[in-house]
């Protein structure tokens, strides 16, 4: 596909004036999809597109009859309270709808008057999961995270021999994925202290976040039919922010030999807006493999992937403790990293996932794995930042953390920014730890 | 709950005469649920109950107006092409419907004439998955399997320290679960031979089956609210046979540190009929823990679980190769085992799965893990039977197998049988290996 088209033009401005402000996450070049309703109402949830500080209600837009042609078919698929039908239509339909929305939201658009009536301020909205997620797969694509965590669990053998060959992933739990604003109880679980003879049941003592990107699959594939690397991007609807909460002490005791289970399945939180892969096209960049590392096997290798497989997405983690919240203090930044440093591209994840014939379905969800950069300060988890709990982090208000405390809110943010291109923001995902159930 | 009621009485006979024949899998004491349509038709799939060699069509039954009261509400939930709504209603509703069906199908029932019109021979039916499976979890509950397989991968450390404390499980892939009759391509994947310097892509060379029971969750739980052990059975709708196909060579290369992924997600096959936990009540038996082994932590321990947590279900694996099929020879038995030997009970699986607050939903699915007995001959996989591929098995027609060949059909069967109780059969699940996609 042609990477850039008229919807990406940096000069485009919207008649929705908040979309034109510098620093806005949702300019007219973004147009992310979500599912919302008026906050606190009993209204049905419905699909919308973020523009500036507003939401364009796609149900009202449909009723207005403004959108015609191929885009109208895509818009019709947005009716209902999930985006799965739109996701199933495939890239040409998503692109047609994006183009129609871009044109109708531009300064000077004839439809502005009619569309004005379809807007709701984001401040008045609440969200639900934008898709019914069938299967959720979590990858492990940051070699910096894998190496740093591996060195805590296996000091003499941090990076396993398969890492540089296999885009490692495992199946996750979809039922406990919630939308930004999620509050969840600290999990109970079995843990065994190194000096204990037997395990015991209790609240997790090493609760952590993981800074990840989430990836929604659009069009699927039939069972038995792998997706070729250069076709993979056409199966990806879009991206969001994703916090893959992790109970490190439960994980350490349970994970061998079959991998993480209850240490991950108590909660995972996504941001409300899905940034389409098309919107991210200006931030595609070369996917590189260090010449000292093995080059990928042929099914994970192509000129297209090398030229533009990586995405330059800036990510950051912030923490607001209960004490900060009560004192009216803002969240403080814990770290920042960039998805460009991922060892594997999204296309490689898709292609690897289906090489065995596994069928992906519209609305299926991938986690990218914790995105940590090469520097220790770019770590996407407390496990790394506190060096396995050995080095407490001191917060601006004097509190310290090795792992999360009850009442802590963790906020992930993401954006794409560079000279000569429109800023494409992800918004944020926030969630809060509640005390454990009493035993 | 009272384990046995009038629906279990061994003397009950049905006016559907095939249900009264000895050796029948589906006598009136069974009444399993499935989703079917006339084979080769374009009819909508609909729910049914197996009785003898017939299916009672629950859509036609609903239309007949024969069923009244609490059972009518449960019957109304069976309309549509999945059982998820019935599963969500909970144990009292399932029990009421079972009682009504039992009474209406008994010899002498006044409704016999009307119900006769709702029957379709099983020979004329085809099936689909009985539920929309949200999340699928695979357990690892056979200590004999875990020990035998562990000794192949880790001769000096076959059983990991957590095994006797934690009902080990991992998240599986639901999209590729298919119904009996499934034909699937041998998966492609990355493997690395022990003497190879680098991995390569190719068709799986060590394709295996796994003899498992499948478990459908009925009523779910809210996120953050664990299910207590003695309440767990009320959340279980029923059981089926389950073949968890496994690519051993792909698994060996990919599984560290996050567990099996593409080695399992290419196909898994379930039998069409869901045997309710209530139908299995006569086969409940004491759940025992060897006194040399640690006793479970308190959340996995109760008098009720000790008294009746185990289920006496006989399982067997049969193989029919392409050569046997062409020669008109029947499938040959590879092994047999019993679910009674499982190290963990179903209630323990449910309770453990939710102890961290993870929410289970109606239609969620558990695999029991490969059910192998204490004897080598009771192994539920070829990996065990062939001792990691070192000891080929000779079949009655002279063919040999270490792992599966293209064209092989694997059949799993299960039944409960003992003196003084009705036979409760599971039917069978069959699936066939097709050649890999050409590279």
């Amino acid at each position: 596909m042609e990477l850039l088209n008229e919807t990406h033009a940096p000069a485009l401005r919207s008649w929705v004036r908040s979309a034109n402000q510098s620093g806005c996450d949702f300019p007219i070049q973004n147009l992310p999809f979500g599912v919302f309703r008026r906050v606190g109402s009993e209204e049905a949830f419905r699909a919308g597109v973020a523009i500036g500080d507003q939401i364009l209600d796609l149900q009202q837009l449909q009723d207005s009859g403004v959108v015609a042609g191929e885009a109208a078919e895509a818009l019709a698929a947005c009716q209902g309270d999930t985006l799965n039908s739109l996701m199933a239509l495939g890239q040409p339909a998503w692109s047609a709808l994006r183009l129609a929305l871009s044109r109708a939201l531009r300064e000077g658009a004839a439809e502005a008057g009619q569309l004005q009536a379809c807007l709701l301020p984001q401040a008045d909205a609440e969200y639900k999961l934008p898709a019914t997620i069938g299967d959720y797969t979590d990858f492990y694509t940051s070699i910096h995270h894998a190496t740093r965590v591996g060195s805590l669990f296996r000091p003499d053998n941090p990076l396993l021999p398969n890492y540089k060959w296999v885009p490692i992933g495992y199946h996750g739990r979809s039922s406990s994925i919630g939308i930004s604003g999620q509050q969840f109880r600290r999990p109970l679980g079995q843990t065994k202290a190194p000096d204990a003879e037997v395990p015991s049941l209790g609240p997790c003592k090493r609760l952590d976040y993981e800074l990840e990107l989430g990836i929604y699959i659009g069009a699927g594939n039939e069972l038995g039919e792998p997706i070729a690397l250069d076709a993979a991007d056409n199966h990806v609807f879009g991206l969001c922010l994703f916090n893959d909460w992790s109970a490190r002490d439960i994980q350490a005791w349970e994970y061998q030999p079959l991998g993480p289970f209850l240490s991950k399945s108590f909660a995972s939180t996504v941001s409300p807006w899905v940034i389409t892969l098309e919107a991210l096209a200006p931030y595609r960049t070369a996917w590189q493999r260090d010449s000292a590392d093995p080059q990928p096997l042929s099914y994970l290798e192509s000129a297209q992937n090398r030229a533009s497989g990586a995405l330059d997405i800036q990510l950051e983690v912030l923490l607001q403790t209960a004490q900060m919240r009560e004192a009216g203090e803002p969240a403080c930044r814990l770290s920042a990293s960039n998805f460009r440093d991922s060892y594997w591209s999204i296309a490689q994840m898709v292609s690897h996932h289906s090489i065995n014939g596994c069928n992906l379905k519209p609305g299926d969800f991938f986690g990218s794995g914790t995105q940590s950069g090469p520097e220790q300060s770019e770590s996407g988890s407390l496990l790394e930042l506190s060096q396995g709990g050995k080095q407490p982090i001191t917060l601006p208000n004097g509190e310290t953390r090795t792992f999360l405390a009850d009442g802590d809110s963790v906020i992930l943010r993401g954006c794409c920014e560079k000279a000569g291109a429109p800023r494409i923001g992800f918004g944020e995902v926030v969630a809060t730890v509640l005390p454990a159930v009493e035993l």
Side-chain angles (χ1 to χ4, degrees), chain A:
Chain A
M1 73 177 156
E2 201 65 48
L3 285 183
L4 299 182
N5 58 37
E6 66 166 84
T7 64
H8 298 103
L12 284 186
R13 290 169 59 88
S14 175
W15 51 261
V16 180
R17 295 172 63 175
S18 58
N20 306 324
Q21 286 172 2
S22 89
C24 173
D25 272 350
F26 307 122
I28 191 167
Q29 295 87 351
N30 192 343
L31 304 177
F33 288 81
V35 172
F36 76 101
R37 68 177 175 190
R38 209 173 293 266
V39 67
S41 74
E42 295 293 310
E43 293 174 358
F45 280 97
R46 53 201 183 271
V49 166
I51 178 77
D53 60 8
Q54 304 289 309
I55 301 171
L56 180 67
D57 182 327
L58 296 185
Q59 188 178 295
Q60 288 189 37
L61 183 65
Q62 163 92 347
D63 296 344
S64 76
V66 166
V67 175
E70 194 181 351
E73 191 191 335
L75 183 60
C78 297
Q79 309 307 308
D81 67 350
T82 74
L83 297 171
N84 294 70
S85 297
L86 175 65
M87 290 167 164
L89 283 185
Q91 211 280 325
W94 312 330
S95 198
L97 181 55
R98 173 179 167 80
L99 181 59
L101 295 175
S102 172
R103 289 178 175 169
L105 286 164
R106 275 176 215 174
E107 275 186 347
E111 305 92 333
Q114 284 170 280
L115 262 65
Q116 184 72 50
C118 305
L119 295 181
L120 180 81
Q122 286 163 29
D124 297 345
E126 64 183 6
Y127 303 91
K128 69 183 273 294
L129 286 187
T132 300
I133 296 171
D135 281 296
Y136 149 46
T137 299
D138 200 24
F139 282 90
Y140 195 53
T141 65
S142 165
I143 195 169
H144 310 296
H145 172 72
T147 305
R148 233 171 267 138
V149 169
S151 70
L152 296 170
F153 284 92
R154 299 172 300 273
D156 50 342
N157 189 22
L159 203 64
L160 294 168
N162 56 15
Y163 189 87
K164 293 185 175 179
W165 296 96
V166 179
I168 295 285
Y170 68 102
H171 309 297
R173 178 84 192 172
S174 67
S175 72
S176 49
I177 299 178
I179 195 79
S180 185
Q182 186 173 31
Q183 301 196 330
F184 63 90
R185 292 180 193 269
R186 176 181 297 273
L188 300 177
Q190 274 196 41
T191 58
K192 186 175 160 298
D195 56 347
E197 277 203 22
V198 300
S200 60
L201 179 71
C204 166
K205 293 195 180 84
R206 292 161 69 92
L207 184 61
D208 203 354
Y209 58 81
E210 291 195 335
L211 169 63
E212 301 199 15
L213 281 169
I215 299 152
Y216 287 96
I217 295 298
N221 62 307
E222 293 298 317
L223 191 68
E225 297 183 5
I227 297 170
L229 185 64
D230 283 352
D233 283 338
N234 289 333
H235 292 264
V236 175
F237 180 75
L239 276 60
C240 67
L241 299 164
F242 182 53
N243 190 336
D244 181 32
W245 304 95
S246 298
R248 303 298 179 190
D249 45 355
I250 297 173
Q251 186 174 352
W253 174 233
E254 77 173 0
Y255 90 105
Q256 286 189 311
L258 300 182
F261 180 41
L262 300 189
S263 53
K264 300 277 193 170
S265 63
F266 54 91
S268 322
T269 320
V270 296
S271 57
W273 294 109
V274 186
I275 318 301
T276 62
L277 211 50
E278 189 171 1
L280 295 166
Y283 292 93
R284 286 191 172 276
T285 180
W287 176 90
Q288 292 174 321
R289 178 59 50 93
D290 191 321
S291 61
D293 282 351
Q295 301 308 303
L297 294 184
S298 59
Y299 76 105
L300 297 175
E301 162 72 12
S302 77
Q304 177 181 308
N305 188 63
R306 294 226 171 228
S308 59
L311 284 165
D312 176 5
I313 304 174
Q314 301 168 36
L315 300 167
E316 60 174 340
V317 186
L318 301 98
L319 174 67
Q320 189 181 45
T321 67
Q323 190 178 313
M324 290 176 186
R325 202 162 37 243
E326 282 152 24
E329 293 163 5
C332 63
R333 184 198 264 204
L334 295 181
S335 73
S337 64
N338 194 306
F339 184 53
R340 195 180 42 202
D341 290 326
S342 171
Y343 199 74
W344 298 103
S345 70
I346 292 175
Q348 286 170 324
M349 294 182 223
V350 170
S351 202
H352 181 65
H353 202 310
S354 64
I355 187 64
N356 69 342
C358 180
N359 54 330
L360 304 178
K361 291 181 169 178
D364 282 351
F365 187 80
F366 293 176
S368 64
T370 309
Q371 293 303 309
S372 298
E375 301 301 321
Q376 165 74 12
S377 64
E378 296 173 292
S379 294
S381 67
L382 282 174
L383 179 67
E384 295 163 81
L385 286 174
S386 73
Q387 298 179 36
K390 292 192 290 286
Q391 292 290 336
I393 297 160
T394 301
L395 307 177
N397 68 353
E399 287 185 277
T400 61
R401 288 289 182 278
T402 48
F403 292 97
L404 296 169
D406 292 345
D408 282 356
S409 294
V410 175
I411 300 145
L412 310 182
R413 290 189 188 140
C415 78
C416 301
E417 236 172 1
K418 66 177 179 183
R423 184 176 194 276
I424 302 293
F426 279 68
E428 65 175 36
V429 56
V430 56
T432 303
V433 181
L434 302 177
V437 175
E438 283 197 36
L439 269 176

